[in-house]
Amino acid sequence: MSRFLLACVFALMSVVGIAGVASAQEAPNAPVAAAQQTTVNPGPAVNAPQEPAPEVRQETKRKLWIGAIALGLFALVYWRNKRRWAAWRKARAAKKG
């Protein structure tokens, strides 16, 4: 699977690299646009509240609980599959030997 993914990334990079080289060529007598200096406005003034609203805190807590439950379920499934895989390998080795 990882070789397939690596091949896809390589193919994509090859196409992007070829397209980039082809688009970088210009006619020999074409006028060259010079960069003009522009003024940069400072970023917007941010007056963020120091504490989130109570609704936001409750939503964040709920999301954290859901994430923790999902992580716990994933760990249980991983542990179960690891035990089953070890038992299957042990049974398979007993059949061969």
Side-chain angles (χ1 to χ4, degrees):
M1 182 65 180
S2 63
R3 289 183 183 174
F4 176 72
L5 182 62
L6 185 62
C8 289
V9 169
F10 180 73
L12 182 63
M13 292 303 292
S14 298
V15 169
V16 170
I18 292 171
V21 171
S23 65
Q25 297 173 354
E26 60 182 55
N29 295 330
V32 177
Q36 297 179 358
Q37 184 175 1
T38 59
T39 58
V40 178
N41 296 332
V46 178
N47 294 325
Q50 295 300 317
E51 287 190 19
E55 307 86 41
V56 175
R57 284 189 298 223
Q58 290 298 327
E59 182 71 18
T60 302
K61 285 181 184 179
R62 189 178 69 80
K63 287 180 181 180
L64 285 172
W65 272 107
I66 291 173
I69 291 169
L71 186 63
L73 289 174
F74 173 77
L76 286 173
V77 170
Y78 179 80
W79 179 64
R80 181 200 61 170
N81 287 346
K82 187 176 176 182
R83 283 188 28 224
R84 290 177 73 190
W85 177 253
W88 178 81
R89 281 193 324 210
K90 187 176 180 181
R92 186 170 174 223
K95 284 182 184 178
K96 284 186 176 182

